[in-house]
Amino acid sequence: MIQIGFYRQRNLIRFKQLATRIKKNEGFKRSIYKDVLGNPTIGYGHLVVSLDKFENKKRYSKRILTKVFNQDLNDAILKFKKNYNSKSLPNNVKEVIIEMIFQLGINNTLKFVRFKTNIEKKLYFLAAFELIKSRWYKQTPKRVEGLINILLRS
């Protein structure tokens, strides 16, 4: 098991829960498919970019795609730490933001300006409201509702 980002040994169980939830929300496919926006994707929601060496119609092992997932999750955690004051946030809020970064990318997550402002002010109900008003909610309502439920546990 890799140790990732701010998840020290005592938080390893939380990391496993986060990874498991993201995997469940993303689903898994061994070959390239189009996501809801028409982007080429593989494994556990990995956006295929030009630097990737994945080939269309080829099936890849779960082991390889799990490594890609772990790299993507590590990247999301590092981007979270760089862009958010993680020390002042409860774990459930951190996890929601990390999952947002995993699914949407950091640039799209940072476009939720009012969400971020409300998070910083610890106004989690208003932050949740910003998610409900988003286009992201219209695209993946069940996932966003699940994340809102986690967010509101604060």
Side-chain angles (χ1 to χ4, degrees):
M1 173 53 69
I2 17 183
Q3 194 160 322
I4 302 207
F6 63 85
Y7 285 92
R8 296 193 174 107
Q9 195 64 33
R10 68 179 187 270
N11 288 323
L12 201 51
I13 291 171
R14 292 195 69 86
F15 170 76
K16 287 180 184 178
Q17 290 171 346
L18 173 63
T20 299
R21 185 178 65 244
I22 292 173
K23 285 179 178 180
K24 181 181 175 195
N25 285 336
E26 289 292 340
F28 179 78
K29 296 212 176 172
R30 294 180 186 268
S31 54
I32 295 175
Y33 65 97
K34 300 282 185 184
D35 68 9
V36 295
L37 298 176
N39 298 313
T41 309
I42 194 166
Y44 295 103
H46 173 76
L47 178 65
V48 177
V49 295
S50 58
L51 296 175
D52 287 328
K53 296 187 169 123
F54 295 113
E55 299 173 25
N56 281 321
K57 298 181 183 177
K58 183 174 179 184
R59 291 174 50 88
Y60 293 87
S61 73
K62 192 166 190 174
R63 186 172 158 249
I64 288 171
L65 296 172
T66 298
K67 280 185 178 181
V68 171
F69 169 78
N70 288 332
Q71 291 168 346
D72 288 348
L73 183 52
N74 186 42
D75 185 52
I77 291 169
L78 293 173
K79 287 176 180 171
F80 165 78
K81 285 184 69 176
K82 182 178 177 185
N83 291 280
Y84 291 84
N85 181 5
S86 62
K87 292 179 184 176
S88 69
L89 298 175
N91 281 335
N92 58 316
V93 175
K94 293 176 189 178
E95 292 171 11
V96 167
I97 297 168
I98 290 167
E99 187 163 346
M100 287 176 70
I101 294 168
F102 185 93
Q103 184 185 10
L104 302 171
I106 188 62
N107 292 334
N108 287 327
T109 301
L110 290 174
K111 289 178 183 175
F112 287 79
V113 176
R114 283 180 265 181
F115 169 82
K116 186 177 183 192
T117 300
N118 287 321
I119 290 293
E120 290 165 352
K121 293 179 179 180
K122 301 190 182 331
L123 300 171
Y124 303 124
F125 184 81
L126 292 176
F129 183 67
E130 292 302 321
L131 298 181
I132 291 169
K133 294 187 329 184
S134 72
R135 184 174 43 167
W136 179 45
Y137 179 81
K138 290 176 181 75
Q139 293 166 346
T140 56
K142 288 183 183 179
R143 184 175 192 166
V144 177
E145 286 171 5
L147 292 176
I148 287 169
N149 287 332
I150 294 166
L151 179 68
L152 294 179
R153 289 183 194 154
S154 300

